[in-house]
Amino acid sequence: MKVLKFGGTSVGSTASIYNVKRIIQSIDGPKMIVLSAMSGVTNYLVTLIDEIKNKNHKEIINLNAALKAKHIELLDELIKDPDKYTEARTGLNLLFREFDDLLTCEYSENNANRILTFGETLLTYIFSEYLFSSSIKNKLLNAKDFMHVGNLENPETSKVANRLNPFLNSEEKAPIYITQGFVRIDKFNRISTLKRGGSDYTATILGAALNAEEVQIWTDIDGFHNNDPRYVEDTHPLANLTFEEAAELAYFGAKILHPQTISPVIDKNIPIYLKNTFTPDLPGTKISSEISEKGLKAISAKDGITAIKIKSNRMLMAHGFLKKIFEIFDNHETAIDMITTSEIAISLTIDDTKNLDPIINQLHNYGDITVEMDHSIICIVGEGLIEDSNTFKLFEILNEIPVRMISYGGSLNNVSLLVASKHKVSALKALHKSLFKRNEEALVSCY
Ligand code: ADP
Ligand code: ASP
Ligand code: MG
């Protein structure tokens, strides 16, 4: 079994859905297709939920009508046969009725999650009907029946497998299964999500649950680039990444993958291929356990980082001090990303500020506390990176950008820098120039 995930832009228009069908048909063997909502739809649902909170009935009616019109238009364009269209439209109307009911309820978190995940529900239904209308046999599975993910950071994929297998082993086998990305059932059996961009994570959780041959993530770019193409020019796709490299880059902000995508498949050694729906013949990126080349590979950046400094000239070097500090973060279930120490101070970073106030209150017992918001971690990654003879060049950035913290040597494969977010783009560009551009220029001058 192969798992194929198609993201929002890959299913954002009739033309791109034709591409998706062609890609699916070109791949041999049984397939599990994971679909996101059409691009823009989940953002739209976020707005709708805000209007429900504000009890803005007029806006709710307008947004609901536009959302329905978008999906009806898609169905109109995809299914031309009148009988098949009528049948598919009847099913779509039933889903619309279910959606209308959700919109009339009072705001609750539970209801909000049902609404938020409805984009995937609508699109998978339409796509399945479209394949049927093209005489392509398939089975639509409801992800809420099996995507039981109690622990967001550490999904029990064997539990997902136990729930999923009866659907796959039923009398009525299908060569193509279709299901929704993003949605999950939480530990209280409520509908929830895998967080924004979570369909990538659905794909690898299912990949592990199914012991899939491979997971393919189809998106709007030709693979994992060596820097963020939204901010830096002249980035290029990487042919190979190791699981560790990709996990690090995704965790530290590379938008192409949800931060947790890699972890479910590492132990089972299931490769992930990143491919472009619009140029399927290009090779894309293979993420696997194979180390193809050592040294500097790629840069990513994660925003929304808060730096906390604890200054204490009395206790810092006393043994047990760090333990007490870490316990405070642990008790508030807050992960620390970076840490540096000096004789009198310790600086660390967090991205989840939900419990910042109680954490700071407790830290006050141990010294003077400074909190700085709006920072970004820049992550530079590559197997054996810190042994690469070019790595020293990254410190040239210190000439141009005020760097708040540096983490070097924690692993051989990663160097992280903390900068104020207002310097992020210039830092990404400066690093790209000093780490990659000069290598390329040197290569060109050799020929
Ligand atoms: P999808 O809707 O298919 O899930 P996303 O928008 O979530 O697609 O992810 C693809 C986008 O990620 C690309 O269009 C690109 O702008 C952005 N991106 C950020 N960093 C990288 C990177 N290092 N390599 C490739 N794309 C990246
Ligand atoms: N539709 C969801 C989102 O926009 C999940 C995804 O696209 O992966 O966040
Ligand atoms: Mg995405």
Side-chain angles (χ1 to χ4, degrees), residues 5 197 200 255-256:
K5 175 258 171 176
D200 301 325
K255 184 183 178 249
I256 187 167

Side-chain angles (χ1 to χ4, degrees), residues 112-179:
N113 281 334
R114 285 170 189 272
I115 295 170
L116 195 58
T117 54
F118 220 85
E120 274 74 9
T121 307
L122 290 171
L123 189 77
T124 46
Y125 172 76
I126 292 174
F127 187 71
S128 167
E129 289 298 314
Y130 165 56
L131 291 193
F132 279 131
S133 76
S134 316
S135 308
I136 301 175
K137 204 173 159 209
N138 71 90
K139 195 165 169 188
L140 179 60
L141 301 177
N142 184 351
K144 292 171 200 129
D145 289 333
F146 50 84
M147 279 300 289
H148 283 242
V149 176
N151 180 345
L152 208 48
E153 273 76 42
N154 196 7
E156 286 183 77
T157 55
S158 56
K159 282 201 178 156
V160 175
N162 291 341
R163 290 179 185 269
L164 174 59
N165 285 335
F167 294 99
L168 306 184
N169 299 330
S170 70
E171 297 287 286
E172 216 192 310
K173 287 214 169 51
I176 298 174
Y177 294 94
I178 299 171
T179 197

Side-chain angles (χ1 to χ4, degrees), residues 295-314:
L296 219 57
K297 274 280 184 59
I299 305 171
S300 64
K302 179 176 174 180
D303 297 330
I305 302 294
T306 298
I308 302 171
K309 184 160 82 186
I310 305 136
K311 195 167 165 223
S312 163
N313 40 20
R314 284 175 299 124

